[in-house]
């Protein structure tokens, strides 16, 4: 079984500052992928960034980067230079190589609010 | 443009009625998924299909049914047996099926309210 934990129900950040959203995971799969999604108030789920368990470098996509610490089983999302449009729910998720269907398992989410 | 279309965006039904949510994709993806989201919570998997004419139960399949007669379409029926059907439903697809490094791409969701 795999599990994703996001311990921050809500976060505030000042516009133009950086923010880190925490994510820890648990899995027995030897290979797995970690994903972050953004969900604005309109409801759609937007894929942001991916990190593979064997990737040597932390993933980056524009203002998003993933602080991957495999030994600690953490995959924190860092958003640099926050913008008002970053206000949304953020979900950490993972897929393992051995679970049936390799389904995507989600954490409970963190609501980020960017202050002007 | 390629994408996943869910319709309708809002759906209202009386208790005891079955209702079918539509999901169509033109991305040529083999794998499709249905998730349920309750307020303030993450997503939970209802059903998934990795290939036409085949589908598997997810974590919360009771009270739901699906079909996969065409690659492009994966409709979800919420039956009267589902005890608490009011929720936000999201359909997704994946280009490399069950590959663990393949992200899911989501539709815009259907908000179902049953009274």
């Amino acid at each position: 079984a795999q599990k994703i934990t996001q311990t921050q129900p809500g976060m505030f950040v000042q516009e133009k500052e950086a923010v880190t959203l925490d994510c820890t995971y648990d899995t027995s799969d030897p290979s797995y992928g970690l994903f972050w999604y953004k969900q604005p108030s309109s409801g759609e789920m937007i894929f942001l960034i991916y990190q593979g368990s064997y990737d040597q470098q932390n993933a980056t996509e524009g203002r998003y980067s993933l602080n991957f610490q495999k030994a600690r089983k953490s995959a924190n999302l860092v958003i640099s230079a926050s913008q008002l449009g970053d206000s949304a729910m953020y979900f950490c998720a993972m897929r393992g190589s051995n679970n049936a269907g390799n389904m995507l398992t989600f954490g409970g989410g963190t609501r980020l609010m960017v202050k002007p | 443009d390629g994408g996943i279309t869910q319709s309708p965006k809002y759906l209202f039904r009386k208790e005891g009625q079955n209702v079918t949510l539509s999901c169509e994709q033109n991305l040529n993806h083999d794998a499709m998924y249905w998730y349920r989201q309750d307020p303030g919570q993450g997503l939970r998997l209802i059903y998934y299909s990795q290939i036409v004419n085949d589908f598997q139960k997810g974590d919360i399949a009771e009270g739901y049914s699906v079909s996969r007669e065409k690659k492009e379409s994966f409709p979800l029926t919420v039956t009267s047996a589902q005890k608490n059907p009011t929720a936000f439903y999201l359909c997704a697809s994946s280009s490399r099926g069950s590959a663990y490094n393949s992200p899911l791409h989501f539709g815009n969701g259907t908000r179902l309210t049953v009274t």
Side-chain angles (χ1 to χ4, degrees):
Chain A
Q2 49 192 30
K3 185 177 180 182
I4 297 282
T5 302
Q6 295 179 253
T7 57
Q8 307 153 310
M11 290 275 289
F12 282 97
V13 65
Q14 198 68 40
E15 192 178 8
K16 299 180 185 174
E17 293 187 349
V19 62
T20 298
L21 306 183
D22 295 341
C23 172
T24 57
Y25 62 91
D26 192 20
T27 182
S28 55
D29 290 343
S31 306
Y32 49 89
L34 295 154
F35 305 82
W36 277 91
Y37 285 85
K38 173 183 179 181
Q39 187 179 41
S41 57
S42 52
E44 73 267 31
M45 295 287 284
I46 303 167
F47 166 62
L48 295 178
I49 193 167
Y50 162 80
Q51 178 82 45
S53 57
Y54 289 107
D55 292 344
Q56 295 295 317
Q57 292 190 320
N58 287 339
T60 60
E61 287 287 346
R63 294 186 299 110
Y64 304 109
S65 61
L66 207 152
N67 183 0
F68 179 48
Q69 298 188 47
K70 192 171 182 177
R72 293 187 174 185
K73 294 190 174 181
S74 74
N76 299 339
L77 177 70
V78 180
I79 305 175
S80 63
S82 296
Q83 302 172 356
L84 295 178
D86 293 336
S87 294
M89 284 290 289
Y90 288 81
F91 291 95
C92 180
M94 74 176 298
R95 298 182 85 172
S97 57
N98 283 348
N99 70 79
N102 291 348
M103 63 190 72
L104 193 63
T105 300
F106 285 83
T110 295
R111 182 172 298 281
L112 177 66
M113 291 152 282
V114 181
K115 298 186 289 185
Chain B
D1 286 338
I4 301 171
T5 302
Q6 290 187 244
S7 60
K9 187 168 183 171
Y10 298 96
L11 194 52
F12 298 89
R13 279 294 182 270
K14 295 285 190 188
E15 194 173 327
Q17 293 179 335
N18 291 356
V19 59
T20 297
L21 282 60
S22 169
C23 177
E24 304 278 332
Q25 55 101 356
N26 60 4
L27 299 167
N28 200 33
H29 288 175
D30 284 315
M32 296 187 74
Y33 306 80
W34 273 106
Y35 282 87
R36 169 183 172 138
Q37 186 179 28
D38 292 287
Q41 298 187 27
L43 279 66
R44 293 182 290 166
L45 183 67
I46 305 172
Y47 267 99
Y48 65 98
S49 167
Q50 298 190 55
I51 198 168
V52 173
N53 292 323
D54 185 58
F55 47 83
Q56 306 295 330
K57 293 181 179 180
D59 298 323
I60 56 165
E62 185 176 348
Y64 300 98
S65 66
V66 293
S67 63
R68 187 85 188 277
E69 297 176 2
K70 298 186 301 182
K71 188 175 185 177
E72 306 79 35
S73 179
F74 191 39
L76 173 74
T77 297
V78 184
T79 75
S80 55
Q82 168 51 233
K83 290 182 172 37
N84 188 15
T86 294
F88 187 53
Y89 292 88
L90 284 155
C91 178
S93 69
S94 176
S95 62
R96 294 193 294 279
S98 58
Y100 71 84
N101 58 352
S102 177
L104 267 59
H105 299 277
F106 286 84
N108 288 343
T110 292
R111 197 168 297 279
L112 173 65
T113 302
V114 177
T115 56

